[in-house]
Amino acid sequence: MQEFHEIFASIYQWLDVMLISTFRLLSNPVSGFFFGTFILSLWCTLIGELTSLGVGRINRAHLKKLEQESIRLHNLSVKAIIHKDKESYRACNKMANEAWGKYFFATISQGAASVWPVPFALAWMHTRFEAIEFELAYPIPLLPEVVGYPAVFIPMYILVRICFARLKPWLPLFHGDDAPKVRRPGQEEEKMITWADVDKHKGLPG
Amino acid sequence: MHKKLVLVLALLIAFGAISIVAETSWAQVSNLQEAIDAAPKGTERGEIDPAAPLGYLGIPGGPQINLILAFIWAIWVGWIFSTVGAFGGIMAGVGHITVYGLGNYAGTFRQTAPTINRAVTDSIRVSNQFMVGTSALISSINYYKMGRLVLPVAAALAIGSIAGSYLIPLLTAGKVSFRDYVGYFGIFVLFLGCYMLYETTPRGAAGKKKAKQAADAFESTMKKKRSGEKVDTSELGVKMTKFSLGKIAFTFYGVEFSFNPLFPIFGGFIIAAIAAFLGVGGGFMLVPFLTSVTGLPMYLSAGTSALAVLIGMITSILSYLQQGVLVHWPLIGTQLVGIVVGSMVGPYTSQYIPDKWLKRVFIVLAFYVGLDFMARGFLGKNIMTMFFG
C-alpha cells in the first residue's frame, strides 16, 4: 500500500509540473492563466474523447445489438401508426421504449468516458488556484462581483468541446464510423424511419 | 436548428457553471468553516479534533476517502448500468451513503453539530447527481440532437422539472439530516424493489407479454404485406384538434390521441423533485411516464425527456450548490473512471448470467437495501441488529 502511495505521489508531482508549466509560458500572469486553462481544457477534451473512442470500440458490438433492437421496434411502431393500427402502435412503442432505455443506460459509459478528466482538472486547479479571484467587468444578475478559477475553466472547456466537435470530421481517429457518438438516424444497419422520412415519402419509405 | 440548440445548451451550462463557481468557492466554504469552528472540540464521537488531518470536505478528522475502494465500487455501479440499467444510480447512492464511511461520519454529528451532519448529507446528494448526471447528460445531448421535440410537452415537463429541481434543494438543503435522507432513500429503493418484483409476477408480466405478442403479430403481418404498398396518408404529422387546460387532443398520422396537459407538469414536478431530493437522474422514471401518459413515440419521447432531464439536472445541481453544498472532485473523477471500466466489463460477463437470475438478484438487493436504509433512517438500527440482535 505504501508503495502505491509513493508511486501515486510521484505521478502527481510529475503531472503537476507538466500542467503548471503551460500556465507559466506567458509573462503576463492573467494571460498565462487563460492560456494555461485553455491548454488544460484541451487536455481534458482530448483525453476524454480518446477514452470515449476506445470504450465505443470495445463496446461496439453490444451497443449495436441494443441499438438495432430499439430501431427495429421503433420502425414497427411507425409502420403501425401509418396503418392506423393504434393498438399495435402502443404495443410496439412500449417495447421500443424499453429497448431504448436499455441502450441509453449502456451508453452512459461513453458519457462518463468523455468527461472523466474534468473533475480531476478541477481538483488540481483547486490546489493551485484556490485563492484566485476575478472581478466581473460588468455585473451579471445572480452572480457575485467576484468569481473563482472554475468560472474560467468550465466555460473554456465547453467552448473547446464545441470547437473539437466541429473539427472532428477533419481529425484522424475521430472521423470514422467508430466515432464514439450515438449514431444518428440513417447510419444504422436497419435504418431508423424518421417522421421526416414518412412526411417526405407520404408513407413508408422504400 | 441543432447547432442553435447546442449553443443555447452550452450557454446555459456555462452560465450555470459560472454561478456554481461564484457561489461555492467563496461564500459557502465559509458556512462549513463556521460549522466546524462552532462544533465541540475533542477526540470523542461527535467532536472535531482541530489537530487531526483534514478529511472529507476539508473537515479535520473527516473520513479519508479511499479512492481505490471508490474505484472498485464504481466498477460495480458501471456494471449494473450496462446490464440492469437505472439501478446503477441507486448503487452509486449506496456507495456514497455506506461504503466510503461518509454516512457513519455524518451520523456522529447528529446531536453535536447538525450543520456538519447536513452538509455531508447534501454533499452526498449532489455528488450522486454529479456522477450519474454528467454521464447521462452527455448521452442525453446526443439523443436530444437526434430526436425531434414535441414542444408543448417538453415545455410542460420543463416547467414541472424546473419547479421540482429548484424547490427541493431550496427547501431541503441544509435541513435534511443524514438519518432522514437514508430513510427516504430506503423507501424509494424498496418501492423500486416492489415494482421489480411485480414485473416478475404473472400479472405484471402479462402486460409486457401482451405487448410483445401484439408487436410480434404486427411484425408478421407487415412481413406478409408487399413492400411499398400504398397506405392512406392523407393526414401526415401531428395535427392539434383540441387545446385547453384540461385536454390536449391531437391526431398523429390520422390516429387520435389525447392527454391532460397538467399531467406532464405534475409528473415532471414530482419526478424532478424525487430525483433532486434523492440525488438520482430521473430519466428512467420520465420516459415510461411520458410514453404512457402522452403516447409519444420513442423517437420523440427520447429527445423530449432528454431535454427535461437536462434542464432539471442543471437546475437541481445549481440550486444545491447555491445552497452551499461542497463536492469532493477527486472522488467524482475516480468514480467516473470506475463506471467506464464497469460498463465495459458488463456486456462480456452478463451473457453468462441469465436475465431472470439477474433480476432476482437485484430484487433481493433492492429489498435488503430498502429495508436496511429505512431501519437505519427511521429506527436508528441496521436491519441485521434488528433481527439478530
Side-chain angles (χ1 to χ4, degrees), chain A residues 58 72 76 80 82-83 86 89 93 97-98 100 103 109 130 143 150 154 195 199 202, chain B residues 17-18 21 26 143 148 208 218-219 231 233 253 256 291 295-299 343 348:
Chain A
I58 291 170
R72 183 182 74 83
L76 264 181
I82 296 299
H83 285 86
K86 193 171 174 178
Y89 164 75
N93 193 37
N97 265 295
E98 259 196 49
W100 177 80
Y103 177 49
S109 61
E130 192 194 349
L143 289 189
I154 294 175
W195 302 108
D199 292 354
K202 298 210 182 304
Chain B
I18 294 168
V21 174
W26 313 109
Y143 284 108
R148 279 207 266 166
K208 203 172 164 185
F218 181 72
E219 190 174 23
V231 283
T233 49
Y253 292 88
E256 277 185 24
T291 323
L296 277 184
M298 180 203 98
Y299 184 18
S343 307
Y348 295 96

mmCIF file of all heavy atoms in Angstrom, chain A residues 58 72 76 80 82-83 86 89 93 97-98 100 103 109 130 143 150 154 195 199 202, chain B residues 17-18 21 26 143 148 208 218-219 231 233 253 256 291 295-299 343 348:
data_model
loop_
_atom_site.group_PDB
_atom_site.id
_atom_site.type_symbol
_atom_site.label_atom_id
_atom_site.label_comp_id
_atom_site.label_asym_id
_atom_site.label_seq_id
_atom_site.Cartn_x
_atom_site.Cartn_y
_atom_site.Cartn_z
ATOM 1 N N ILE A 58 -14.649 -0.888 -27.982
ATOM 2 C CA ILE A 58 -14.740 -2.143 -27.218
ATOM 3 C C ILE A 58 -16.201 -2.585 -27.084
ATOM 4 O O ILE A 58 -16.515 -3.762 -27.191
ATOM 5 C CB ILE A 58 -14.069 -1.970 -25.831
ATOM 6 C CG1 ILE A 58 -12.554 -1.816 -26.029
ATOM 7 C CG2 ILE A 58 -14.377 -3.141 -24.913
ATOM 8 C CD1 ILE A 58 -11.802 -1.399 -24.798
ATOM 9 N N ARG A 72 -35.507 -1.448 -34.560
ATOM 10 C CA ARG A 72 -36.446 -2.393 -35.186
ATOM 11 C C ARG A 72 -37.863 -2.175 -34.625
ATOM 12 O O ARG A 72 -38.830 -2.068 -35.374
ATOM 13 C CB ARG A 72 -35.985 -3.824 -34.888
ATOM 14 C CG ARG A 72 -36.812 -4.907 -35.537
ATOM 15 C CD ARG A 72 -36.299 -6.276 -35.133
ATOM 16 N NE ARG A 72 -36.632 -6.629 -33.769
ATOM 17 C CZ ARG A 72 -37.790 -7.155 -33.373
ATOM 18 N NH1 ARG A 72 -38.721 -7.401 -34.271
ATOM 19 N NH2 ARG A 72 -38.022 -7.434 -32.109
ATOM 20 N N LEU A 76 -41.251 -0.582 -36.386
ATOM 21 C CA LEU A 76 -42.530 -1.292 -36.381
ATOM 22 C C LEU A 76 -43.649 -0.367 -35.909
ATOM 23 O O LEU A 76 -44.751 -0.379 -36.457
ATOM 24 C CB LEU A 76 -42.447 -2.485 -35.426
ATOM 25 C CG LEU A 76 -42.118 -3.848 -36.018
ATOM 26 C CD1 LEU A 76 -42.124 -4.885 -34.908
ATOM 27 C CD2 LEU A 76 -43.106 -4.237 -37.106
ATOM 28 N N ALA A 80 -46.994 0.765 -37.769
ATOM 29 C CA ALA A 80 -48.317 0.565 -37.174
ATOM 30 C C ALA A 80 -49.145 1.835 -37.259
ATOM 31 O O ALA A 80 -50.322 1.796 -37.609
ATOM 32 C CB ALA A 80 -48.172 0.123 -35.722
ATOM 33 N N ILE A 82 -48.809 4.300 -39.358
ATOM 34 C CA ILE A 82 -49.137 4.598 -40.749
ATOM 35 C C ILE A 82 -50.341 3.759 -41.195
ATOM 36 O O ILE A 82 -51.157 4.207 -41.989
ATOM 37 C CB ILE A 82 -47.910 4.318 -41.675
ATOM 38 C CG1 ILE A 82 -46.759 5.242 -41.318
ATOM 39 C CG2 ILE A 82 -48.269 4.453 -43.143
ATOM 40 C CD1 ILE A 82 -47.041 6.707 -41.481
ATOM 41 N N HIS A 83 -50.447 2.551 -40.641
ATOM 42 C CA HIS A 83 -51.590 1.699 -40.965
ATOM 43 C C HIS A 83 -52.773 1.959 -40.040
ATOM 44 O O HIS A 83 -53.733 1.193 -40.020
ATOM 45 C CB HIS A 83 -51.184 0.226 -40.898
ATOM 46 C CG HIS A 83 -50.368 -0.205 -42.073
ATOM 47 N ND1 HIS A 83 -49.003 -0.042 -42.123
ATOM 48 C CD2 HIS A 83 -50.728 -0.740 -43.275
ATOM 49 C CE1 HIS A 83 -48.554 -0.483 -43.292
ATOM 50 N NE2 HIS A 83 -49.577 -0.907 -44.013
ATOM 51 N N LYS A 86 -53.797 1.549 -33.906
ATOM 52 C CA LYS A 86 -53.398 2.189 -32.642
ATOM 53 C C LYS A 86 -52.901 1.177 -31.611
ATOM 54 O O LYS A 86 -51.919 1.429 -30.900
ATOM 55 C CB LYS A 86 -54.596 2.963 -32.083
ATOM 56 C CG LYS A 86 -54.232 3.917 -30.964
ATOM 57 C CD LYS A 86 -55.422 4.791 -30.634
ATOM 58 C CE LYS A 86 -55.154 5.655 -29.424
ATOM 59 N NZ LYS A 86 -56.268 6.535 -29.101
ATOM 60 N N TYR A 89 -49.536 0.005 -32.461
ATOM 61 C CA TYR A 89 -48.614 1.125 -32.249
ATOM 62 C C TYR A 89 -48.215 1.213 -30.776
ATOM 63 O O TYR A 89 -47.043 1.314 -30.434
ATOM 64 C CB TYR A 89 -49.240 2.446 -32.704
ATOM 65 C CG TYR A 89 -48.512 3.652 -32.165
ATOM 66 C CD1 TYR A 89 -47.279 4.034 -32.694
ATOM 67 C CD2 TYR A 89 -49.023 4.382 -31.088
ATOM 68 C CE1 TYR A 89 -46.579 5.110 -32.173
ATOM 69 C CE2 TYR A 89 -48.339 5.456 -30.566
ATOM 70 C CZ TYR A 89 -47.114 5.819 -31.110
ATOM 71 O OH TYR A 89 -46.422 6.866 -30.581
ATOM 72 N N ASN A 93 -44.540 0.581 -29.487
ATOM 73 C CA ASN A 93 -43.897 1.751 -28.896
ATOM 74 C C ASN A 93 -43.429 1.448 -27.469
ATOM 75 O O ASN A 93 -42.344 1.867 -27.061
ATOM 76 C CB ASN A 93 -44.877 2.924 -28.899
ATOM 77 C CG ASN A 93 -44.182 4.227 -28.603
ATOM 78 O OD1 ASN A 93 -43.054 4.439 -29.027
ATOM 79 N ND2 ASN A 93 -44.836 5.084 -27.848
ATOM 80 N N ASN A 97 -39.594 1.591 -26.381
ATOM 81 C CA ASN A 97 -39.110 2.427 -25.287
ATOM 82 C C ASN A 97 -38.282 1.637 -24.292
ATOM 83 O O ASN A 97 -37.291 2.129 -23.766
ATOM 84 C CB ASN A 97 -40.288 3.084 -24.569
ATOM 85 C CG ASN A 97 -40.536 4.461 -25.116
ATOM 86 O OD1 ASN A 97 -39.706 5.351 -24.976
ATOM 87 N ND2 ASN A 97 -41.656 4.622 -25.798
ATOM 88 N N GLU A 98 -38.711 0.410 -24.049
ATOM 89 C CA GLU A 98 -37.943 -0.446 -23.130
ATOM 90 C C GLU A 98 -36.562 -0.732 -23.695
ATOM 91 O O GLU A 98 -35.557 -0.662 -22.990
ATOM 92 C CB GLU A 98 -38.704 -1.751 -22.914
ATOM 93 C CG GLU A 98 -39.447 -1.739 -21.606
ATOM 94 C CD GLU A 98 -39.869 -3.137 -21.207
ATOM 95 O OE1 GLU A 98 -39.029 -4.059 -21.228
ATOM 96 O OE2 GLU A 98 -41.051 -3.251 -20.898
ATOM 97 N N TRP A 100 -35.022 1.009 -25.873
ATOM 98 C CA TRP A 100 -34.261 2.261 -25.900
ATOM 99 C C TRP A 100 -33.649 2.566 -24.530
ATOM 100 O O TRP A 100 -32.513 3.021 -24.420
ATOM 101 C CB TRP A 100 -35.161 3.421 -26.353
ATOM 102 C CG TRP A 100 -34.432 4.706 -26.318
ATOM 103 C CD1 TRP A 100 -33.557 5.182 -27.244
ATOM 104 C CD2 TRP A 100 -34.468 5.672 -25.267
ATOM 105 N NE1 TRP A 100 -33.053 6.391 -26.840
ATOM 106 C CE2 TRP A 100 -33.586 6.710 -25.641
ATOM 107 C CE3 TRP A 100 -35.145 5.772 -24.049
ATOM 108 C CZ2 TRP A 100 -33.386 7.824 -24.835
ATOM 109 C CZ3 TRP A 100 -34.937 6.876 -23.260
ATOM 110 C CH2 TRP A 100 -34.067 7.883 -23.661
ATOM 111 N N TYR A 103 -30.569 0.621 -24.051
ATOM 112 C CA TYR A 103 -29.499 1.193 -24.867
ATOM 113 C C TYR A 103 -28.955 2.466 -24.213
ATOM 114 O O TYR A 103 -27.751 2.683 -24.137
ATOM 115 C CB TYR A 103 -30.047 1.481 -26.268
ATOM 116 C CG TYR A 103 -29.080 2.143 -27.204
ATOM 117 C CD1 TYR A 103 -27.793 1.649 -27.358
ATOM 118 C CD2 TYR A 103 -29.451 3.257 -27.956
ATOM 119 C CE1 TYR A 103 -26.890 2.250 -28.219
ATOM 120 C CE2 TYR A 103 -28.564 3.864 -28.819
ATOM 121 C CZ TYR A 103 -27.288 3.362 -28.941
ATOM 122 O OH TYR A 103 -26.397 3.963 -29.785
ATOM 123 N N SER A 109 -21.716 4.794 -20.179
ATOM 124 C CA SER A 109 -20.258 4.629 -20.057
ATOM 125 C C SER A 109 -19.533 5.586 -20.986
ATOM 126 O O SER A 109 -18.473 6.103 -20.662
ATOM 127 C CB SER A 109 -19.856 3.198 -20.372
ATOM 128 O OG SER A 109 -20.216 2.888 -21.695
ATOM 129 N N GLU A 130 -6.718 28.149 -5.786
ATOM 130 C CA GLU A 130 -7.849 28.330 -4.868
ATOM 131 C C GLU A 130 -8.070 29.803 -4.522
ATOM 132 O O GLU A 130 -9.198 30.269 -4.400
ATOM 133 C CB GLU A 130 -7.593 27.521 -3.594
ATOM 134 C CG GLU A 130 -8.820 27.403 -2.718
ATOM 135 C CD GLU A 130 -8.493 26.897 -1.329
ATOM 136 O OE1 GLU A 130 -7.353 26.438 -1.116
ATOM 137 O OE2 GLU A 130 -9.368 26.976 -0.455
ATOM 138 N N LEU A 143 -25.048 36.630 -10.132
ATOM 139 C CA LEU A 143 -23.640 36.353 -9.852
ATOM 140 C C LEU A 143 -23.052 37.406 -8.929
ATOM 141 O O LEU A 143 -23.399 38.577 -9.029
ATOM 142 C CB LEU A 143 -22.816 36.361 -11.143
ATOM 143 C CG LEU A 143 -23.019 35.214 -12.122
ATOM 144 C CD1 LEU A 143 -21.975 35.281 -13.215
ATOM 145 C CD2 LEU A 143 -22.914 33.887 -11.406
ATOM 146 N N PRO A 150 -12.959 28.201 -11.479
ATOM 147 C CA PRO A 150 -13.818 27.399 -12.362
ATOM 148 C C PRO A 150 -14.633 28.249 -13.329
ATOM 149 O O PRO A 150 -15.064 27.775 -14.372
ATOM 150 C CB PRO A 150 -14.731 26.640 -11.405
ATOM 151 C CG PRO A 150 -14.051 26.696 -10.082
ATOM 152 C CD PRO A 150 -13.334 28.001 -10.062
ATOM 153 N N ILE A 154 -14.598 26.120 -16.719
ATOM 154 C CA ILE A 154 -15.773 25.392 -17.239
ATOM 155 C C ILE A 154 -16.282 25.971 -18.566
ATOM 156 O O ILE A 154 -16.445 25.235 -19.538
ATOM 157 C CB ILE A 154 -16.879 25.258 -16.162
ATOM 158 C CG1 ILE A 154 -16.334 24.367 -15.039
ATOM 159 C CG2 ILE A 154 -18.147 24.628 -16.746
ATOM 160 C CD1 ILE A 154 -17.221 24.211 -13.841
ATOM 161 N N TRP A 195 -39.838 10.527 -38.784
ATOM 162 C CA TRP A 195 -41.120 11.105 -39.210
ATOM 163 C C TRP A 195 -40.906 11.985 -40.432
ATOM 164 O O TRP A 195 -41.808 12.119 -41.265
ATOM 165 C CB TRP A 195 -41.771 11.877 -38.062
ATOM 166 C CG TRP A 195 -41.979 10.975 -36.884
ATOM 167 C CD1 TRP A 195 -41.296 10.981 -35.718
ATOM 168 C CD2 TRP A 195 -42.872 9.859 -36.795
ATOM 169 N NE1 TRP A 195 -41.701 9.962 -34.908
ATOM 170 C CE2 TRP A 195 -42.676 9.259 -35.529
ATOM 171 C CE3 TRP A 195 -43.826 9.318 -37.657
ATOM 172 C CZ2 TRP A 195 -43.392 8.147 -35.110
ATOM 173 C CZ3 TRP A 195 -44.541 8.205 -37.228
ATOM 174 C CH2 TRP A 195 -44.327 7.635 -35.983
ATOM 175 N N ASP A 199 -43.056 11.830 -43.867
ATOM 176 C CA ASP A 199 -43.647 13.022 -44.485
ATOM 177 C C ASP A 199 -43.166 13.171 -45.924
ATOM 178 O O ASP A 199 -43.942 13.484 -46.824
ATOM 179 C CB ASP A 199 -43.271 14.279 -43.680
ATOM 180 C CG ASP A 199 -43.941 14.282 -42.309
ATOM 181 O OD1 ASP A 199 -44.763 13.375 -42.071
ATOM 182 O OD2 ASP A 199 -43.629 15.165 -41.492
ATOM 183 N N LYS A 202 -44.611 10.534 -48.134
ATOM 184 C CA LYS A 202 -46.061 10.443 -47.936
ATOM 185 C C LYS A 202 -46.464 8.996 -47.640
ATOM 186 O O LYS A 202 -47.384 8.426 -48.236
ATOM 187 C CB LYS A 202 -46.815 10.988 -49.153
ATOM 188 C CG LYS A 202 -46.533 12.453 -49.421
ATOM 189 C CD LYS A 202 -47.706 13.128 -50.056
ATOM 190 C CE LYS A 202 -47.428 14.582 -50.385
ATOM 191 N NZ LYS A 202 -47.002 15.362 -49.223
ATOM 192 N N ALA B 17 -22.408 27.106 -14.741
ATOM 193 C CA ALA B 17 -21.093 26.807 -14.167
ATOM 194 C C ALA B 17 -20.521 28.028 -13.471
ATOM 195 O O ALA B 17 -19.944 27.932 -12.383
ATOM 196 C CB ALA B 17 -20.162 26.341 -15.261
ATOM 197 N N ILE B 18 -20.727 29.181 -14.119
ATOM 198 C CA ILE B 18 -20.188 30.411 -13.517
ATOM 199 C C ILE B 18 -20.841 30.668 -12.167
ATOM 200 O O ILE B 18 -20.177 30.987 -11.189
ATOM 201 C CB ILE B 18 -20.392 31.615 -14.466
ATOM 202 C CG1 ILE B 18 -19.541 31.404 -15.713
ATOM 203 C CG2 ILE B 18 -19.999 32.909 -13.791
ATOM 204 C CD1 ILE B 18 -19.861 32.351 -16.833
ATOM 205 N N VAL B 21 -19.457 28.284 -9.501
ATOM 206 C CA VAL B 21 -18.150 28.687 -9.040
ATOM 207 C C VAL B 21 -18.238 29.842 -8.080
ATOM 208 O O VAL B 21 -17.697 29.811 -6.982
ATOM 209 C CB VAL B 21 -17.358 29.155 -10.262
ATOM 210 C CG1 VAL B 21 -16.054 29.731 -9.830
ATOM 211 C CG2 VAL B 21 -17.191 28.025 -11.215
ATOM 212 N N TRP B 26 -16.548 30.577 -2.613
ATOM 213 C CA TRP B 26 -16.263 31.536 -1.556
ATOM 214 C C TRP B 26 -17.264 31.534 -0.416
ATOM 215 O O TRP B 26 -16.964 31.068 0.680
ATOM 216 C CB TRP B 26 -16.173 32.944 -2.159
ATOM 217 C CG TRP B 26 -15.336 32.900 -3.366
ATOM 218 C CD1 TRP B 26 -15.726 33.025 -4.658
ATOM 219 C CD2 TRP B 26 -13.931 32.618 -3.415
ATOM 220 N NE1 TRP B 26 -14.663 32.849 -5.510
ATOM 221 C CE2 TRP B 26 -13.548 32.607 -4.786
ATOM 222 C CE3 TRP B 26 -12.959 32.364 -2.451
ATOM 223 C CZ2 TRP B 26 -12.241 32.373 -5.193
ATOM 224 C CZ3 TRP B 26 -11.656 32.127 -2.857
ATOM 225 C CH2 TRP B 26 -11.316 32.132 -4.211
ATOM 226 N N TYR B 143 -29.038 12.263 -27.735
ATOM 227 C CA TYR B 143 -30.426 11.932 -28.065
ATOM 228 C C TYR B 143 -31.221 13.176 -28.395
ATOM 229 O O TYR B 143 -32.103 13.164 -29.239
ATOM 230 C CB TYR B 143 -31.087 11.184 -26.914
ATOM 231 C CG TYR B 143 -30.635 9.776 -26.865
ATOM 232 C CD1 TYR B 143 -29.786 9.324 -25.877
ATOM 233 C CD2 TYR B 143 -31.010 8.903 -27.876
ATOM 234 C CE1 TYR B 143 -29.346 8.027 -25.870
ATOM 235 C CE2 TYR B 143 -30.558 7.612 -27.884
ATOM 236 C CZ TYR B 143 -29.732 7.178 -26.871
ATOM 237 O OH TYR B 143 -29.276 5.910 -26.875
ATOM 238 N N ARG B 148 -36.690 14.698 -32.580
ATOM 239 C CA ARG B 148 -37.456 15.923 -32.710
ATOM 240 C C ARG B 148 -38.167 16.151 -31.394
ATOM 241 O O ARG B 148 -38.438 15.218 -30.661
ATOM 242 C CB ARG B 148 -38.473 15.755 -33.832
ATOM 243 C CG ARG B 148 -37.851 15.981 -35.181
ATOM 244 C CD ARG B 148 -38.890 16.454 -36.131
ATOM 245 N NE ARG B 148 -39.469 15.341 -36.867
ATOM 246 C CZ ARG B 148 -40.581 15.442 -37.562
ATOM 247 N NH1 ARG B 148 -41.252 16.565 -37.591
ATOM 248 N NH2 ARG B 148 -41.050 14.426 -38.222
ATOM 249 N N LYS B 208 -46.552 -6.931 -20.386
ATOM 250 C CA LYS B 208 -45.376 -6.949 -21.239
ATOM 251 C C LYS B 208 -45.504 -8.048 -22.305
ATOM 252 O O LYS B 208 -45.170 -7.855 -23.468
ATOM 253 C CB LYS B 208 -44.141 -7.197 -20.363
ATOM 254 C CG LYS B 208 -42.876 -6.720 -20.982
ATOM 255 C CD LYS B 208 -41.757 -6.832 -19.977
ATOM 256 C CE LYS B 208 -40.436 -6.733 -20.678
ATOM 257 N NZ LYS B 208 -39.332 -6.946 -19.771
ATOM 258 N N PHE B 218 -47.917 -7.995 -35.236
ATOM 259 C CA PHE B 218 -47.907 -6.910 -36.221
ATOM 260 C C PHE B 218 -46.723 -7.068 -37.167
ATOM 261 O O PHE B 218 -46.842 -6.844 -38.374
ATOM 262 C CB PHE B 218 -47.855 -5.557 -35.507
ATOM 263 C CG PHE B 218 -47.866 -4.404 -36.464
ATOM 264 C CD1 PHE B 218 -49.019 -4.078 -37.158
ATOM 265 C CD2 PHE B 218 -46.710 -3.670 -36.703
ATOM 266 C CE1 PHE B 218 -49.019 -3.036 -38.061
ATOM 267 C CE2 PHE B 218 -46.703 -2.632 -37.605
ATOM 268 C CZ PHE B 218 -47.860 -2.305 -38.287
ATOM 269 N N GLU B 219 -45.592 -7.500 -36.596
ATOM 270 C CA GLU B 219 -44.398 -7.671 -37.429
ATOM 271 C C GLU B 219 -44.635 -8.742 -38.492
ATOM 272 O O GLU B 219 -44.279 -8.555 -39.656
ATOM 273 C CB GLU B 219 -43.195 -8.063 -36.558
ATOM 274 C CG GLU B 219 -41.885 -8.016 -37.326
ATOM 275 C CD GLU B 219 -40.667 -8.256 -36.447
ATOM 276 O OE1 GLU B 219 -40.817 -8.872 -35.376
ATOM 277 O OE2 GLU B 219 -39.580 -7.829 -36.843
ATOM 278 N N VAL B 231 -50.615 3.195 -48.499
ATOM 279 C CA VAL B 231 -51.471 3.329 -47.325
ATOM 280 C C VAL B 231 -52.061 4.730 -47.319
ATOM 281 O O VAL B 231 -51.542 5.634 -47.986
ATOM 282 C CB VAL B 231 -50.689 3.092 -46.005
ATOM 283 C CG1 VAL B 231 -50.440 1.625 -45.774
ATOM 284 C CG2 VAL B 231 -49.402 3.872 -45.986
ATOM 285 N N THR B 233 -52.328 8.082 -46.317
ATOM 286 C CA THR B 233 -51.500 9.030 -45.557
ATOM 287 C C THR B 233 -52.006 10.457 -45.783
ATOM 288 O O THR B 233 -51.237 11.385 -45.952
ATOM 289 C CB THR B 233 -50.024 8.945 -45.968
ATOM 290 O OG1 THR B 233 -49.959 9.002 -47.386
ATOM 291 C CG2 THR B 233 -49.382 7.676 -45.480
ATOM 292 N N TYR B 253 -50.655 11.171 -37.485
ATOM 293 C CA TYR B 253 -50.813 10.416 -38.735
ATOM 294 C C TYR B 253 -52.212 9.801 -38.815
ATOM 295 O O TYR B 253 -52.395 8.640 -39.171
ATOM 296 C CB TYR B 253 -49.715 9.352 -38.873
ATOM 297 C CG TYR B 253 -48.376 10.015 -39.075
ATOM 298 C CD1 TYR B 253 -47.586 10.381 -37.985
ATOM 299 C CD2 TYR B 253 -47.913 10.333 -40.358
ATOM 300 C CE1 TYR B 253 -46.389 11.030 -38.148
ATOM 301 C CE2 TYR B 253 -46.708 10.989 -40.539
ATOM 302 C CZ TYR B 253 -45.953 11.330 -39.427
ATOM 303 O OH TYR B 253 -44.763 11.986 -39.605
ATOM 304 N N GLU B 256 -56.045 9.147 -33.426
ATOM 305 C CA GLU B 256 -56.326 10.132 -32.372
ATOM 306 C C GLU B 256 -55.665 9.796 -31.039
ATOM 307 O O GLU B 256 -55.670 8.661 -30.596
ATOM 308 C CB GLU B 256 -57.842 10.225 -32.170
ATOM 309 C CG GLU B 256 -58.492 11.156 -33.171
ATOM 310 C CD GLU B 256 -59.965 11.343 -32.895
ATOM 311 O OE1 GLU B 256 -60.379 11.142 -31.742
ATOM 312 O OE2 GLU B 256 -60.677 11.676 -33.848
ATOM 313 N N THR B 291 -44.317 8.141 -22.120
ATOM 314 C CA THR B 291 -44.909 7.254 -23.116
ATOM 315 C C THR B 291 -46.311 6.836 -22.715
ATOM 316 O O THR B 291 -47.215 6.816 -23.545
ATOM 317 C CB THR B 291 -44.067 5.972 -23.267
ATOM 318 O OG1 THR B 291 -42.713 6.324 -23.137
ATOM 319 C CG2 THR B 291 -44.290 5.322 -24.590
ATOM 320 N N GLY B 295 -48.495 8.959 -24.901
ATOM 321 C CA GLY B 295 -48.462 8.054 -26.052
ATOM 322 C C GLY B 295 -47.438 8.466 -27.085
ATOM 323 O O GLY B 295 -47.488 8.046 -28.230
ATOM 324 N N LEU B 296 -46.480 9.296 -26.676
ATOM 325 C CA LEU B 296 -45.468 9.766 -27.627
ATOM 326 C C LEU B 296 -44.629 8.603 -28.143
ATOM 327 O O LEU B 296 -44.278 7.712 -27.378
ATOM 328 C CB LEU B 296 -44.515 10.734 -26.934
ATOM 329 C CG LEU B 296 -44.902 12.178 -26.794
ATOM 330 C CD1 LEU B 296 -43.754 12.952 -26.173
ATOM 331 C CD2 LEU B 296 -45.246 12.775 -28.145
ATOM 332 N N PRO B 297 -44.284 8.604 -29.427
ATOM 333 C CA PRO B 297 -43.398 7.558 -29.920
ATOM 334 C C PRO B 297 -41.986 7.709 -29.373
ATOM 335 O O PRO B 297 -41.575 8.802 -28.980
ATOM 336 C CB PRO B 297 -43.415 7.754 -31.432
ATOM 337 C CG PRO B 297 -43.886 9.123 -31.645
ATOM 338 C CD PRO B 297 -44.726 9.513 -30.486
ATOM 339 N N MET B 298 -41.266 6.592 -29.372
ATOM 340 C CA MET B 298 -39.935 6.561 -28.781
ATOM 341 C C MET B 298 -39.024 7.667 -29.285
ATOM 342 O O MET B 298 -38.342 8.330 -28.527
ATOM 343 C CB MET B 298 -39.294 5.206 -29.082
ATOM 344 C CG MET B 298 -37.917 5.053 -28.534
ATOM 345 S SD MET B 298 -37.053 3.802 -29.457
ATOM 346 C CE MET B 298 -36.114 4.772 -30.594
ATOM 347 N N TYR B 299 -39.053 7.820 -30.608
ATOM 348 C CA TYR B 299 -38.169 8.774 -31.252
ATOM 349 C C TYR B 299 -38.361 10.179 -30.660
ATOM 350 O O TYR B 299 -37.422 10.922 -30.435
ATOM 351 C CB TYR B 299 -38.492 8.744 -32.741
ATOM 352 C CG TYR B 299 -37.638 9.584 -33.633
ATOM 353 C CD1 TYR B 299 -36.410 10.059 -33.220
ATOM 354 C CD2 TYR B 299 -38.065 9.885 -34.910
ATOM 355 C CE1 TYR B 299 -35.636 10.814 -34.065
ATOM 356 C CE2 TYR B 299 -37.299 10.631 -35.765
ATOM 357 C CZ TYR B 299 -36.087 11.101 -35.338
ATOM 358 O OH TYR B 299 -35.329 11.853 -36.166
ATOM 359 N N SER B 343 -18.769 -0.567 -17.116
ATOM 360 C CA SER B 343 -19.666 -0.661 -18.272
ATOM 361 C C SER B 343 -19.021 -1.434 -19.412
ATOM 362 O O SER B 343 -19.712 -1.959 -20.272
ATOM 363 C CB SER B 343 -20.042 0.723 -18.778
ATOM 364 O OG SER B 343 -20.551 1.485 -17.743
ATOM 365 N N TYR B 348 -19.599 -8.278 -21.444
ATOM 366 C CA TYR B 348 -18.863 -9.532 -21.628
ATOM 367 C C TYR B 348 -19.173 -10.559 -20.550
ATOM 368 O O TYR B 348 -18.995 -11.746 -20.745
ATOM 369 C CB TYR B 348 -17.349 -9.254 -21.669
ATOM 370 C CG TYR B 348 -16.991 -8.426 -22.879
ATOM 371 C CD1 TYR B 348 -16.874 -7.045 -22.791
ATOM 372 C CD2 TYR B 348 -16.830 -9.026 -24.119
ATOM 373 C CE1 TYR B 348 -16.598 -6.274 -23.905
ATOM 374 C CE2 TYR B 348 -16.550 -8.265 -25.241
ATOM 375 C CZ TYR B 348 -16.431 -6.886 -25.125
ATOM 376 O OH TYR B 348 -16.168 -6.133 -26.234
#
